[in-house]
Amino acid sequence: MKRLINQCPGPVSTAALALLPFVVLVLVYLLASDARLAENPNDKLLPSFTTLAESFVRLTSVPSQRTGEILLWQDTGASLRRLAQGVGISAAIGLVLGIVLGAIPLIRSGFAPFVAVLSLIPPMAVLPVLFIVFGLGEVSKVVLIVVGITPFIVRDLQQRVQELPRELIIKAQTLGANSWQIILRVILPQILPRLIDAVRLSLGTAWLFLISAEAIAATEGLGYRIFLVRRYLAMDVILPYVVWITILAYLTDFLLKQISRRVFPWYHTGGPGR
Amino acid sequence: MTFTPSNRSKTRAGRVLVPALLLLATLSISGNALAKDQFRIAWSIYVGWMPWDYAAQTGIVKKWADKYGIEIEVVQINDYVESINQYTAGAFDGCVMTNMDALTIPAAGGVDSTALIVGDFSNGNDAVILRDKTELAEIAGQEVNLVELSVSHYLLARALASVGLSERDVTVVNTSDADMVSAFASGGPTAVVTWNPLVSEILAMPKTTKVFDSSRIPGEIIDLMVVNTETLEANPALGKALVGAWYETMAIMSKDDEAGRAARTAMGKASGTDLAGYDAQLASTKMFFEPADAVAFAKGDQLPLTMEEVASFSFDHGLLGEGAPNPGFIGVAFPGERYFGDDGNLKLRFDASYMQMAADGAL
């Protein structure tokens, strides 16, 4: 008999096994929700799927009484804008600093330990300071994301630059390239797909900081809405929002992966690429 | 064999699934068993609720619980809204909250709740504060930082109406109470609505003016001890023990003797201030030290009008749930067979009978 560790499911059972936990989760939710609703029809903790669906339709199609905007789209727009700004700035800083720290030993000796220490500061701990320095507006929310993920991207890219085959750098030098040309023509193209990897890995953290910042002070946004309606236990709003955020996060990740595949096909032909 | 992506997602889903199952299993067990002898009540820090901490620490709660042969656990929750949500979910038999939150959280969530003790009402503890401006009407066009959908929001609505403005004339920015003071200190916000002790900290900053406070709408922001109605009906001992402990504490803290000062000092310390700070907060709180006063307030004519006002504010802001067709969708009962709203859907009941027992010395 085949050992357990050598038994592989076929394509159909792979799909079935992947779906199974989701189906079980939905079933358990359904049972628990029915049990609570049977006892108290107004229970808000585990709303029925009908309520969730109605609420989702309302959130995506009916303009709000107070602002005249459709809430889910308004919140999604606001949150994605902040996320894009925060992640964009972090990626730009990360790319420049990562290459500089990785490629130039003089600068690395001076700043790499500093960046390493900075990356250890928990961003949530300095949140009150960020609010005082940058105010309660859009800036502090973007800054929180930048503070939260930039050190990781910088350190990751620095590491990737240092891991580049030494032969490549030496060969470029024997061909007469100066430092600037090596950075621009050898290191940069090699590092760009790795930047996309680093961004993909930090997206989860970026979402975390985005939602945290929106929970503290905001007028719109996905995190804002969740923490607002938490006040009256509106799980019929919170649960669809959580699902929507998960979908958005999955889609951004998927999109970045596809961009990387299209633009840097060489990176994905075996080797370290993903 | 390769470690395929589907294997990965399977194990990840498995790790999420087990805690999720446990969570749902816990949630589906109702917390309100009927006849029982162990009870849990929740409280959070606020001037009018500090007596619960003192009563629990000094054994007053235990003394009264023993008298009625029950056990009462008094639990402090750091997050006010979370404590109400826990109560609504069935984790506690009673919880302190304001009249508005009692209507919009447990009652709107279908949990039949009884306001057992009317402890006090805010008489200046909640305030609208402007920077560089001195008139309430100048708030028009400004961004106002406050905890959205809370009594602060309600106070703002009442303040705006008093000068012929509406919420459309300002931009409300939802701001956590924990960050209100540091946010204001940063110099950004120009208008805030909040409560004590935050009000006094903000007013200590330069160029700030209190332009409206809850003493202008006396008796509308009420602090209550709310218990689950079914639990109370099955266990009148719980109501008697809580009311007994409460008014014994009231009698101690209201006196200006050594014991009274010691009690208020302890309450002040537990809420992060001292005797003077706590007394200052008490000055802008209308405490019902005497049970007879609380009974008179609960039986008075203003309470139903206040709840009507609160219900229509809550309805306008969608706090009664999407299924609510009108502000009276959730019925509120008052002493003396009086009702507001749908008496077929009574979910919040002001009950003066236990406080009356305390007033009559019948506990």
Side-chain angles (χ1 to χ4, degrees):
Chain A
M1 187 177 157
K2 243 182 170 183
R3 286 184 184 82
L4 186 63
I5 54 162
N6 290 330
Q7 290 176 20
C8 258
V12 177
S13 33
T14 301
L17 283 172
L19 268 178
L20 185 68
F22 294 102
V23 173
V24 172
L25 184 65
V26 166
L27 275 180
V28 171
Y29 181 92
L30 204 63
L31 291 175
S33 165
D34 276 355
R36 282 192 74 96
L37 288 172
E39 196 180 311
N40 170 7
N42 288 326
D43 184 63
K44 285 179 152 184
L45 213 56
L46 301 176
S48 69
F49 280 108
T50 330
T51 316
L52 288 176
E54 279 169 4
S55 160
F56 188 75
V57 169
R58 175 169 50 78
L59 289 167
T60 51
S61 59
V62 183
S64 141
Q65 283 182 347
R66 281 170 62 205
T67 58
E69 305 256 5
I70 293 175
L71 292 181
L72 189 80
W73 304 136
Q74 186 194 12
D75 290 336
T76 307
S79 286
L80 286 184
R81 200 161 48 240
R82 290 166 188 147
L83 193 74
Q85 287 170 348
V87 173
I89 294 171
S90 304
I93 299 177
L95 182 64
V96 173
L97 282 187
I99 290 181
V100 169
L101 288 173
I104 308 175
L106 278 177
I107 298 186
R108 177 159 70 239
S109 307
F111 284 100
F114 181 65
V115 173
V117 170
L118 273 192
S119 72
L120 293 176
I121 301 176
M124 290 309 291
V126 292
L127 193 58
V129 183
L130 294 184
F131 278 135
I132 289 177
V133 179
F134 298 102
L136 280 180
E138 291 299 294
V139 182
S140 62
K141 296 182 192 69
V142 174
V143 169
L144 182 65
I145 298 176
V146 173
V147 169
I149 66 173
T150 308
F152 166 78
I153 298 182
V154 171
R155 294 181 74 192
D156 190 50
L157 290 188
Q158 176 199 329
Q159 197 63 41
R160 300 288 93 79
V161 172
Q162 288 178 253
E163 279 171 4
L164 286 179
R166 196 70 201 145
E167 296 86 339
L168 273 179
I169 313 287
I170 292 174
K171 188 167 274 180
Q173 291 181 52
T174 57
L175 290 171
N178 61 26
S179 297
W180 175 244
Q181 284 169 328
I182 291 175
I183 287 178
L184 214 58
R185 306 285 294 277
V186 180
I187 299 181
L188 184 64
Q190 299 261 352
I191 280 306
L192 281 175
R194 290 166 170 101
L195 173 69
I196 294 185
D197 278 350
V199 166
R200 281 177 60 198
L201 284 176
S202 38
L203 270 177
T205 324
W207 274 102
L208 172 71
F209 291 125
L210 173 73
I211 305 279
S212 312
E214 287 180 341
I216 286 168
T219 53
E220 55 184 4
L222 297 164
Y224 159 80
R225 192 72 54 199
I226 287 179
F227 279 83
L228 181 65
V229 301
R230 153 182 179 266
R231 218 189 144 80
Y232 52 105
L233 270 183
M235 292 298 168
D236 59 331
V237 176
I238 295 178
L239 294 178
Y241 263 70
V242 172
V243 172
W244 178 235
I245 290 174
T246 313
I247 293 174
L248 285 176
Y250 180 81
L251 284 180
T252 9
D253 187 67
F254 182 76
L255 202 68
L256 284 172
K257 189 165 81 183
Q258 291 309 313
I259 290 176
S260 181
R261 289 230 160 120
R262 287 282 162 79
V263 183
F264 312 106
W266 53 268
Y267 182 66
H268 298 274
T269 52
R274 273 161 285 179
Chain B
M1 286 296 112
T2 50
F3 190 57
T4 62
S6 63
N7 288 128
R8 258 207 311 276
S9 67
K10 209 166 57 193
T11 46
R12 198 188 308 138
R15 272 204 299 276
V16 175
L17 187 66
V18 175
L21 287 173
L22 287 174
L23 174 75
L24 285 172
T26 323
L27 290 179
S28 54
I29 297 166
S30 167
N32 303 315
L34 289 178
K36 57 179 189 175
D37 53 11
Q38 284 185 320
F39 303 91
R40 279 153 57 83
I41 64 163
W43 71 281
S44 48
I45 287 186
Y46 174 71
V47 48
W49 296 327
M50 297 317 292
W52 283 114
D53 179 49
Y54 178 80
Q57 299 293 337
T58 52
I60 297 174
V61 170
K62 184 171 178 359
K63 187 183 109 186
W64 283 89
D66 287 347
K67 179 172 179 181
Y68 289 100
I70 57 175
E71 278 178 45
I72 300 177
E73 191 188 347
V74 179
V75 183
Q76 182 188 349
I77 308 282
N78 279 325
D79 185 314
Y80 167 63
V81 174
E82 194 51 41
S83 71
I84 307 176
N85 285 346
Q86 290 281 324
Y87 161 78
T88 307
F92 290 98
D93 303 294
C95 181
V96 293
M97 62 189 83
T98 68
N99 54 331
M100 180 175 139
D101 294 319
L103 180 69
T104 59
I105 306 176
V111 175
D112 194 329
S113 296
T114 297
L116 180 71
I117 302 173
V118 179
D120 67 274
F121 63 75
S122 170
N123 199 18
N125 263 333
D126 299 74
V128 183
I129 302 171
L130 296 185
R131 197 202 298 274
D132 298 330
K133 300 271 178 17
T134 52
E135 293 297 326
L136 175 59
E138 292 175 294
I139 201 172
Q142 297 206 40
E143 283 196 349
V144 185
N145 292 78
L146 51 77
V147 179
E148 221 173 304
L149 309 181
S150 70
V151 285
S152 295
H153 203 160
Y154 174 76
L155 182 76
L156 175 71
R158 299 283 283 136
L160 290 170
S162 75
V163 286
L165 295 170
S166 82
E167 239 185 272
R168 290 182 186 274
D169 298 311
V170 297
T171 307
V172 169
V173 182
N174 185 42
T175 308
S176 155
D177 52 322
D179 295 285
M180 197 69 81
V181 176
S182 61
F184 199 80
S186 76
T190 52
V192 295
V193 187
T194 188
W195 56 84
N196 260 327
L198 311 178
V199 167
S200 50
E201 284 188 47
I202 291 174
L203 283 176
M205 296 177 199
K207 294 185 186 170
T208 52
T209 312
K210 180 162 79 172
V211 292
F212 191 89
D213 71 29
S214 52
S215 66
R216 302 268 293 275
I217 51 164
E220 291 193 26
I221 299 176
I222 312 165
D223 301 309
L224 310 165
M225 164 54 78
V226 172
V227 293
N228 185 292
T229 303
E230 278 178 41
T231 309
L232 182 66
E233 275 171 4
N235 308 278
L238 173 68
K240 291 178 184 172
L242 286 175
V243 171
W246 177 257
Y247 286 108
E248 180 176 336
T249 314
M250 288 296 109
I252 296 171
M253 73 180 287
S254 61
K255 289 205 185 70
D256 198 29
D257 57 9
E258 202 170 309
R261 276 193 297 275
R264 295 201 304 279
T265 307
M267 292 177 201
K269 268 193 187 145
S271 59
T273 176
D274 53 12
L275 178 60
Y278 189 69
D279 279 344
Q281 291 177 32
L282 275 181
S284 48
T285 311
K286 168 67 184 137
M287 293 293 300
F288 292 115
F289 290 121
E290 295 294 332
D293 293 346
V295 170
F297 181 82
K299 289 185 170 172
D301 294 333
Q302 196 210 335
L303 188 59
L305 299 175
T306 299
M307 289 314 293
E308 197 174 335
E309 188 94 41
V310 169
S312 72
F313 171 85
S314 306
F315 176 72
D316 289 343
H317 289 81
L319 301 187
L320 300 184
E322 291 303 325
N326 59 63
F329 167 67
I330 295 165
V332 185
F334 305 95
E337 304 289 306
R338 296 172 301 163
Y339 306 102
F340 162 72
D342 182 358
D343 59 8
N345 186 30
L346 284 180
K347 291 296 175 195
L348 180 60
R349 304 158 196 268
F350 284 86
D351 183 351
S353 59
Y354 289 87
M355 297 189 293
Q356 186 68 55
M357 288 179 212
D360 297 342
L363 286 175

